[in-house]
Amino acid sequence: MSQKIAPLSGFPEWLPGERLVEQQVLDIIRETFELHGFVNIETRAVEPVDRLLGKGGDADKEIYGISRLAAEPDGGDRSQVALGLHFDLTVPFARYVLENAGKLTFPFRRYQIQRVWRGERPQEGRYREFTQADIDIISAGELPFHYEAEVPLVIADTFSRLPIGPYRIQVNNRKIPEGFYLGIGFSPEQIAGVLRIVDKLDKIGVEGVAQALLEAGASLEQAEKCLALANISAKDLSFVDQVRDLGISHETLESGLAELSAVMQAGIAHAPGILVADLRVARGLDYYTGTVYETQLVGQESYGSVCSGGRYDSLASDGRATYPGVGISIGVTRLLARLLPAGAIGTTRPTPTCVLIALGAEQDRAQASSLAAALRSRGIATEVAPTAAKFGKQIRYADRRGIPYVWFPPTEPDAAHSVKDIRSGEQVDADPGHWLPPADDLHPRLVGPVDSAQ
Amino acid sequence: MSQKIAPLSGFPEWLPGERLVEQQVLDIIRETFELHGFVNIETRAVEPVDRLLGKGGDADKEIYGISRLAAEPDGGDRSQVALGLHFDLTVPFARYVLENAGKLTFPFRRYQIQRVWRGERPQEGRYREFTQADIDIISAGELPFHYEAEVPLVIADTFSRLPIGPYRIQVNNRKIPEGFYLGIGFSPEQIAGVLRIVDKLDKIGVEGVAQALLEAGASLEQAEKCLALANISAKDLSFVDQVRDLGISHETLESGLAELSAVMQAGIAHAPGILVADLRVARGLDYYTGTVYETQLVGQESYGSVCSGGRYDSLASDGRATYPGVGISIGVTRLLARLLPAGAIGTTRPTPTCVLIALGAEQDRAQASSLAAALRSRGIATEVAPTAAKFGKQIRYADRRGIPYVWFPPTEPDAAHSVKDIRSGEQVDADPGHWLPPADDLHPRLVGPVDSAQ
């Protein structure tokens, strides 16, 4: 093992203290999703390549294929199916629903927290391996619209429990631009192309979008209307009048405005100030058909969305049955890659361990182990010192690891145990059968930049 | 999406109720590992193929390589490094330690729970994708021996918290067969081969091993001695005398006997009845150098080991520094694939959801959502009924999902809320600001076949 060791670009790994932050974030995400009635599933990491291809816009370019390095030519293993690593959790979930439909109860509310892989060129906030945390509600046949209003509220509740600073969930409804574009004279075949161009507004700007629309055959007036629509944004229901002021009417547009109003009304009632109706949001993936979501950290909008999703109608369909759904996905790695290096999120200590038992001599290890077992039985994470070094060295070991307490067993018969808080230096007698740390010290806790200053 | 949907052999997936069992098992494993002072890390799923090759006996045959399906010929992405999916968590951990040595505190106690992939032919208990839960303690330079005694005690504590029935941890020390084989006249070059042959005892039997040893150049007496050694097994320290009775002495053998005695003594003191000194246990992987572990479910020994590991001295070495370690790995998927279909493990209910709020009419949804938020704020997992169907249908929805309580908001002003335990049929008035379910009903809990009969 003498190869050079170097990180692989696009495959991030955390140090233990950073991973502890990620664990705590994932714990809160999981707890909140479960409070909202979602059950967990995991899917295998691989899907048939045929199933992955073409499901995510141009995601086919991003798929990693897998193959056995030493496939046996004499068979037994000749799988006819080419396999690839999944690039999101929605496509595998749709397949899981089709495969297990007879064993699930609909509407099926599931959450899924797993790694996904994309062979994209790595850049800030974009990785080749990263963790997503998804919720989806999928139904058999019909999916009631109210779930499109519920999904962003689950995210608002989740994010309110995380010290990630202010954020906004931007919502739109695919029916609004679709109906609007039809209303200004684009043909149904042109819609997807126009949507894709307008979706680049943040990247190429107003001039670029206008240019691209004209090149795609739009009139100057059509291009202006498209840009005017994309420019509409409101924290209340005023977006409806702003759209009406553009003087376009179409049945699909009306339907989209009514649905987006209902989503915004639910947001105003249950998560005031969080939702923004933003008519430029389109989401790249072709399979969305109704409400779509993106989420920005306030003041860090250029970083892009950290939580996105939408309604889809035909992703899970096997020709006989269709399972429409709505879902949203938190980009956990993406979020932490922004917050961790900035020191914007952390934990009260970098290790779960609460107590280090000091060791006077190596032959005391058996008693120290029994003492550790007694503390663990009350939920106190405890380890015994690695060696019977001088106590000063053992305290420094605890300090380097971030362990707050060092426990000293008695050095003479009938003497008392004592425990030292190595942060304050305070040392007190303690009964190993009853001592408990202050509740705040029992486990590490998640803190933001404000709390950590305490 | 009209392809045929079929499971992929070797890539198991759980239904939601089964996954809930796995989650609870993983929660207990994590909690216990943390109580013992282990911190978590995760490593990327991929390693350079060069690093994977030759690290796990003939594991090189089992590696899945990955490659981008649409690699761009015009570069920017021309990674010179061939990548493969990791086949265990030990090899990636050793690489992580080398890569981050300057940022870690040694001895470094870590746990790691991730999926691994092996391109083996699937069979009962063997999968192509499965989850392992590992602990390792790794040091810089020297690793104190006492960690070899500690590792099986952590597993004993973990398994004592899981309803998996009786089990035995079989321990051996590589120095015992090595010293013994040298003592009966094998050359140092022959040791690995002899070890590999004797390791097949369970598969090919006494006759088969004897035959293979003779073919490998052993004398009849040497073969008999090897088999006599492999036949020794004891729950106490009597294995030492049994080995002595074979009349062989060698310095390395003595060292191994002393170490195995120390491991057994710690087991007798802290986990009585769990450890068995079993001198046939060798473990296939070449990198083990001291104590080795396997774990069998009592009465299901033919299923093979569900938790294995050992001491290694040169796995993590970069030519300048060496980091010896000792670790053990719970085969989580393997364990559950045995226990789940047999009904030997389960949960008190198949969903985290505790309460379904019934809906008298669709226009009551906003109030129902506020009520749900109030219950969630006290940690009660709650969802609102999908539609305002007849109450009987809403109760059946809860019943099919395994949700124990249905909440009925008042149908007239000033009337009381009420909550129905749909298992007993009991319905009582309830205050949404104070009601709590019995503690046993707040969350699903893990149960074994005995407990579930209650």
Side-chain angles (χ1 to χ4, degrees), chain B residues 193-437:
Chain B
V194 174
L195 210 54
R196 247 193 307 273
I197 292 169
V198 178
D199 198 29
K200 292 180 184 159
L201 194 51
D202 285 337
K203 280 187 195 155
I204 62 176
V206 170
E207 296 294 324
V209 168
Q211 184 72 28
L213 286 172
L214 294 174
E215 284 169 12
S219 70
L220 195 59
E221 196 195 341
Q222 284 176 321
E224 277 170 359
K225 291 277 190 194
C226 287
L227 284 161
L229 183 75
N231 206 33
I232 293 172
S233 170
K235 291 189 172 187
D236 52 27
L237 302 181
S238 63
F239 70 91
V240 179
D241 286 340
Q242 293 183 60
V243 174
R244 294 253 158 77
D245 288 347
L246 298 177
I248 308 302
S249 84
H250 189 278
E251 194 186 351
T252 305
L253 173 61
E254 286 307 312
S255 170
L257 289 172
E259 290 187 357
L260 187 55
S261 297
V263 171
M264 287 299 295
Q265 270 173 322
I268 290 161
H270 298 292
I274 298 299
L275 265 54
V276 178
D278 192 327
L279 303 201
R280 83 170 62 184
V281 171
R283 302 299 307 143
L285 300 182
D286 286 341
Y287 50 65
Y288 293 128
T289 52
T291 310
V292 287
Y293 318 98
E294 291 193 349
T295 307
Q296 316 272 355
L297 299 178
V298 172
Q300 305 178 65
E301 288 78 5
S302 64
Y303 189 60
S305 177
V306 295
C307 181
S308 312
R311 156 113 188 195
Y312 45 91
D313 277 289
S314 49
L315 188 60
S317 172
D318 59 7
R320 288 164 304 162
T322 294
Y323 301 87
V326 57
I328 196 163
S329 174
I330 301 174
V332 178
T333 303
R334 184 149 229 278
L335 191 59
L336 288 172
R338 185 69 171 190
L339 299 175
L340 273 173
I345 195 168
T347 49
T348 48
R349 65 173 184 258
T351 175
T353 308
C354 182
V355 173
L356 176 78
I357 296 178
L359 206 56
E362 192 55 40
Q363 67 260 32
D364 299 339
R365 186 169 295 279
Q367 295 100 297
S369 295
S370 298
L371 174 57
L375 295 177
R376 287 177 196 133
S377 73
R378 293 202 306 285
I380 304 167
T382 304
E383 63 172 278
V384 177
T387 61
K390 286 186 179 164
F391 282 154
K393 194 175 168 190
Q394 296 187 46
I395 291 171
R396 280 198 300 280
Y397 170 84
D399 188 42
R400 278 203 313 275
R401 296 275 308 276
I403 301 170
Y405 295 96
V406 176
W407 187 286
F408 295 93
T411 49
E412 294 164 31
D414 302 325
H417 292 254
S418 71
V419 61
K420 183 187 191 85
D421 181 337
I422 65 169
R423 298 159 301 184
S424 67
E426 188 188 21
Q427 185 163 349
V428 296
D429 285 359
D431 174 354
H434 295 91
W435 179 84
L436 278 173

Side-chain angles (χ1 to χ4, degrees), chain B residues 159-181:
Chain B
F159 279 11
S160 74
R161 296 161 192 255
L162 292 171
I164 58 168
Y167 64 95
R168 294 286 174 273
I169 303 176
Q170 298 159 298
V171 288
N172 193 7
N173 192 304
R174 277 277 177 98
K175 295 175 186 172
I176 294 175
E178 279 178 31
F180 188 87
Y181 297 162

Side-chain angles (χ1 to χ4, degrees), chain A residues 240-259:
Chain A
V240 179
D241 286 339
Q242 294 182 60
V243 175
R244 295 254 158 78
D245 288 348
L246 297 177
I248 308 301
S249 85
H250 189 277
E251 193 186 352
T252 305
L253 172 61
E254 287 307 313
S255 169
L257 289 173
E259 289 187 357

Side-chain angles (χ1 to χ4, degrees), chain A residues 14 19 40 68 77 119 128, chain B residues 19 40 68 77 119 128:
Chain A
W14 305 119
R19 169 60 185 163
N40 189 237
R68 294 179 62 225
D77 181 60
R128 297 188 146 190
Chain B
R19 169 61 185 163
N40 188 237
R68 294 180 61 225
D77 180 59
R128 297 188 147 190

